[in-house]
Amino acid sequence: MTTTALGLASGWSAGEAPVVVECDPAGGDLLARFRLGLSPGLVSLAAAARRADGPGLLWQHTQRLPGGLRVVVGPPGVEQARAALEQLTHDGETMLRSPADRAGTVVLADCGRVEADSPVMPVLRQADVLLLLPRARDDALAHVAIKADVLSRWSRTVCLVLVGEGYASDEVTRELGIKVLSRLPDDPRGAALLRGATGRRAAPARTVLGKALASLARQVAAHVTKAPSHTGVEVTSTELAAPALHFTLPAQGRTAGPAPSNGGVAR
């Protein structure tokens, strides 16, 4: 899921500033993957949200990945992650909605595996689009089928993004009653580059997976309805340039896998 969120953000159109927020209750991956600090991040944002509010608050707790993409890193531990999310989503609301309504801003929330009692549910309910990423095979789609009747109550727009080979998109849409927006290929090299797990300079956007995610980003953007009002918080022209993930990090010792599956990204 995190890899998909990064790819969507890096493929977003110029003129909007994307930020990836790790909202996975099981803990975040970016801190270790890119050797970032815990703060600023989700924990510091949750603490600050007790005293302040406003669309500019989110940006104060971001860090930059190589290439300029802004991220709000989640803590790796379950207890810290859930505590931070509960602070940011209390009373059925989420403070991520306000910055998402800001002109020129795109908030991509990596929500991990989602259950009905998850503290991230308010994020899903207020998202413009919820993407579910199952593999296109029986075992993965069975989990979606069980929840099909309630998914429409989770978010205003729910779409599937199928991962890898398997059932045809129109067949899945017909059987589950949920639109398949796109498919992502199994591309270990592209996934590895998006994770930063490479010792040489490379451009993830040029890979098969990178191109598929850029296409998906355009499709998601077409589903998003922006609020007409401007919040008054300015974004620099540099922020509005589409970020490019371009890594020169040493290998982290992880084996690159295929495109991620079975989770949720909320826009």
Side-chain angles (χ1 to χ4, degrees):
M1 280 310 312
T2 305
T3 303
T4 300
L6 294 179
L8 282 174
S10 64
W12 211 267
S13 62
E16 292 188 302
V19 54
V20 174
V21 183
E22 282 197 295
C23 295
D24 190 344
D29 296 323
L30 294 177
L31 185 150
R33 186 177 298 175
F34 293 104
R35 301 179 183 178
L36 303 175
L38 179 62
S39 183
L42 196 72
V43 174
S44 64
L45 175 62
R50 299 172 187 169
R51 306 182 299 273
D53 198 359
L57 184 63
L58 178 68
W59 293 90
Q60 297 171 21
H61 298 272
T62 61
Q63 298 184 53
R64 289 184 183 274
L65 296 185
L69 178 63
R70 285 184 178 263
V71 297
V72 177
V73 298
V78 174
E79 290 185 3
Q80 269 192 309
R82 293 185 69 91
L85 287 169
E86 287 169 359
Q87 177 63 37
L88 293 171
T89 60
H90 57 83
D91 298 328
E93 302 288 331
T94 172
M95 61 84 59
L96 298 181
R97 185 67 252 180
S98 178
D101 285 335
R102 169 188 179 185
T105 298
V106 176
V107 178
L108 295 163
D110 169 17
C111 300
R113 292 178 181 268
V114 180
E115 300 296 340
D117 60 349
S118 171
V120 83
M121 286 303 298
V123 177
L124 305 185
R125 292 193 178 101
Q126 294 191 359
D128 293 300
V129 181
L130 169 62
L131 302 181
L132 298 174
L133 277 77
R135 287 195 165 273
R137 60 194 188 198
D138 290 312
D139 53 350
L141 291 172
H143 292 287
V144 180
I146 292 173
K147 299 174 182 174
D149 291 340
V150 300
L151 286 174
S152 62
R153 300 196 295 271
W154 283 15
S155 185
R156 66 187 79 180
T157 302
V158 180
C159 297
L160 295 177
V161 177
L162 300 180
V163 179
E165 297 182 354
Y167 289 105
S169 298
D170 57 353
E171 184 177 2
V172 174
T173 295
R174 184 175 61 252
E175 292 298 324
L176 298 183
I178 304 172
K179 179 179 180 179
V180 174
L181 190 61
S182 185
R183 297 184 81 107
L184 297 180
D186 278 322
D187 178 15
R189 177 176 176 272
L193 292 177
L194 283 168
R195 292 189 183 103
T198 178
R200 62 183 183 276
R201 195 168 179 82
R206 297 178 182 176
T207 65
V208 175
L209 179 58
K211 292 176 181 178
L213 286 168
S215 175
L216 176 58
R218 292 190 292 272
Q219 291 175 281
V220 174
H223 280 71
V224 175
T225 303
K226 280 290 185 182
S229 60
H230 192 280
T231 60
V233 179
E234 297 303 321
V235 185
T236 67
S237 58
T238 301
E239 299 279 22
L240 291 176
L245 293 183
H246 211 72
F247 303 119
T248 55
L249 296 178
Q252 301 294 309
R254 288 190 181 182
T255 302
S261 62
N262 290 348
V265 172
R267 158 63 185 88

